[in-house]
Amino acid sequence: MAHSINDDCTNCGACDDSCPVSAISEQGGKHVIDADTCIDCGACVDTCPVSAIHA
């Protein structure tokens, strides 16, 4: 199951560089994870300073 970013996201972009498959992008003023690209590695979870990313 792909990870997702909830409404706690502050749009800081810290997760962008942590994703090894570039599944995270900014859309409409917030970051989103493309479920089809996400490999469920969890690297973004450890990078998010506000714990807005969940499996």
Side-chain angles (χ1 to χ4, degrees):
M1 178 180 198
H3 284 73
S4 62
I5 301 175
N6 65 29
D7 290 338
D8 293 337
C9 176
T10 61
N11 203 31
C12 71
C15 56
D16 281 343
D17 292 333
S18 69
C19 184
V21 294
S22 300
I24 303 171
S25 63
E26 184 179 358
Q27 295 179 4
K30 62 186 279 187
H31 281 77
V32 295
I33 298 175
D34 179 356
D36 292 332
T37 306
C38 178
I39 58 172
D40 202 28
C41 69
C44 57
V45 175
D46 296 332
T47 306
C48 182
V50 294
S51 301
I53 305 173
H54 302 279

